[in-house]
Amino acid sequence: MSATATGWLLTAVAETSSEGSTDHASERLANEPVQPIAPYQSEHPEKVELGKKLFFEPRLSRSGFISCNSCHNLSRGGTDNLPTSIGHNWQEGPINSPTVLNAGLHMAQFWDGRAATLQEQAAGPIDNPMEMAYTHTLAIEVLRSIPAYVDMFEAVYATRDIGIDHVTDAIAEFEETLVTPNSRFDQWLRGDDSAITADELAGYETFKSIGCVACHYGEALGGKDFHRMGLVHEYLTENPSQGRFEATGEERDRFSFKVPSLRNVERTYPYFHDGAVWTLAEATEIMAYLQLGRELPQADIDNMVAFMRTLTGEQPQITLPQLPPSTENTPQPVPFERE
């Protein structure tokens, strides 16, 4: 946790805890495997605003229709709520789209962790033929053809010579702001015992006692490491993804995936890398069996689901940006391609 985040956390504890209970809250924060999410304060608001426009910019795709927000819809928990995403020319994506919310808290990006940073991740879909199906060169040509964008890039980067690194840097800075603080569980972590119910607390205690926190810990309750899908029992799926193996080529990484965040998990269905499970209760039951070898009683499942619903935080409040118009020099989109 950064010094800024730590300072925010101490302030939040002091503000939400009455005198005499601050020690209780501090002890809870020190002893729990989960930490509250801190608001993200960017030092570059103009870059954030530019990144927001680019996040919503469909002209970075060949069709002129698909944007970052298409698969990471900020009105739907940062996902598209589909088993796998719909790409260019209605192609079926190979894997479930992870939420973009709180992604800056993760150790790496994509299910297989092939991108080390948000900036590196932002470059991938633009020139992926199954996703936005453009090239970086053509995407930059689009932006350079629009004077308003050239002016914005100059204001942020002190150059009118736009490059793909500028584009991905701005998108990444915007995505860093997409955190979801102040969930009811975070309020409990900061000392407000009334923030969650007895059943929700019981679900959290079960979550810890059976071993879920071995993978789902930290601010994001995930995103910190990779684990094999099916540690105790094999996971049967028709999805061809080999997980981390596809990034490293190491046999030990076959079927290992980045642990997904449980923040806002009630909004990020369907679940797993193949998007095969639509309910949180079923996902909980399956994961307990696959990863821990446990068959949970229904009461434990119900309580754990209730706990996980307390992890929904304040959603980013986004004003839809107005994008500058194209010019006669802007490459035209190709929304329909026929063989």
Side-chain angles (χ1 to χ4, degrees):
M1 184 179 295
S2 68
T4 301
T6 302
W8 166 84
L9 188 54
L10 293 173
T11 301
V13 167
E15 290 178 349
T16 58
S17 304
S18 60
E19 188 173 356
S21 64
T22 301
D23 290 344
H24 166 62
S26 299
E27 181 180 359
R28 177 176 292 168
L29 287 168
N31 293 333
E32 295 297 339
V34 180
Q35 291 81 46
I37 289 179
Y40 183 81
Q41 298 294 330
S42 175
E43 297 178 356
H44 309 284
E46 287 186 335
K47 185 188 293 188
V48 171
E49 189 61 27
L50 173 58
K52 179 169 73 171
K53 289 182 185 294
L54 297 171
F55 185 89
F56 284 93
E57 181 53 84
R59 288 170 293 187
L60 295 179
S61 68
R62 179 169 172 78
S63 66
F65 184 73
I66 298 174
S67 70
C68 301
N69 193 64
S70 298
C71 299
H72 304 285
N73 195 318
L74 297 183
S75 66
R76 306 190 71 179
T79 73
D80 53 16
N81 297 129
L82 296 172
T84 61
S85 295
I86 299 169
H88 180 69
N89 220 27
W90 215 252
Q91 293 180 84
E92 180 181 355
I95 203 163
N96 181 258
S97 282
T99 178
V100 71
L101 300 182
N102 305 305
L105 302 177
H106 293 202
M107 63 177 292
Q109 305 301 318
F110 296 117
W111 283 97
D112 58 12
R114 65 185 182 274
T117 64
L118 286 174
Q119 181 177 5
E120 187 178 346
Q121 185 280 328
I126 295 173
D127 69 349
N128 186 319
M130 293 187 68
E131 297 184 48
M132 298 171 81
Y134 226 9
T135 67
H136 291 163
T137 299
L138 285 172
I140 294 304
E141 186 178 338
V142 166
L143 296 172
R144 288 176 176 175
S145 75
I146 301 173
Y149 268 131
V150 176
D151 291 342
M152 283 184 272
F153 275 95
E154 182 178 27
V156 173
Y157 295 103
T159 180
R160 299 179 73 80
D161 186 17
I162 303 170
I164 192 63
D165 287 346
H166 300 133
V167 173
T168 55
D169 179 62
I171 292 174
E173 185 67 15
F174 169 66
E175 290 178 341
E176 288 279 9
T177 70
L178 301 178
V179 294
T180 59
N182 204 36
S183 68
R184 288 197 293 118
F185 188 71
D186 283 356
Q187 295 171 35
W188 179 83
L189 284 172
R190 297 196 300 265
D192 183 356
D193 290 336
S194 67
I196 63 176
T197 68
D199 286 347
E200 292 162 350
L201 181 57
Y204 177 52
E205 294 300 334
T206 300
F207 182 86
K208 290 191 293 184
S209 66
I210 67 174
C212 301
V213 293
C215 300
H216 297 283
Y217 60 90
E219 291 171 283
L221 288 93
K224 297 295 188 185
D225 39 28
F226 301 92
H227 286 284
R228 179 180 173 85
M229 182 66 166
L231 282 173
V232 179
H233 298 286
E234 182 182 3
Y235 179 60
L236 301 178
T237 178
E238 296 180 359
N239 188 286
S241 176
Q242 301 288 299
R244 181 80 173 139
F245 172 80
E246 295 175 356
T248 68
E250 298 285 344
E251 186 60 35
R252 67 175 182 270
D253 291 330
R254 194 181 296 275
F255 302 123
S256 288
F257 296 87
K258 187 181 70 172
V259 177
S261 169
L262 294 184
R263 292 287 184 174
N264 311 289
V265 68
E266 67 175 334
R267 306 195 69 206
T268 58
Y269 54 86
Y271 303 108
F272 307 158
H273 69 278
D274 58 357
V277 176
W278 285 87
T279 70
L280 195 48
E282 184 181 3
T284 302
E285 181 180 17
I286 290 173
M287 290 302 286
Y289 180 72
L290 293 178
Q291 305 302 103
L292 303 170
R294 290 176 174 266
E295 296 185 22
L296 297 177
Q298 190 61 47
D300 283 352
I301 294 172
D302 291 344
N303 287 343
M304 288 175 67
V305 169
F307 153 64
M308 285 185 276
R309 286 178 174 151
T310 71
L311 299 172
T312 300
E314 296 174 353
Q315 302 299 293
Q317 298 301 300
I318 304 296
T319 300
L320 196 66
Q322 296 302 304
L323 306 179
S326 298
T327 69
E328 64 272 14
N329 296 319
T330 303
Q332 294 184 356
V334 185
F336 306 108
E337 295 191 83
R338 298 174 178 85
E339 294 182 0

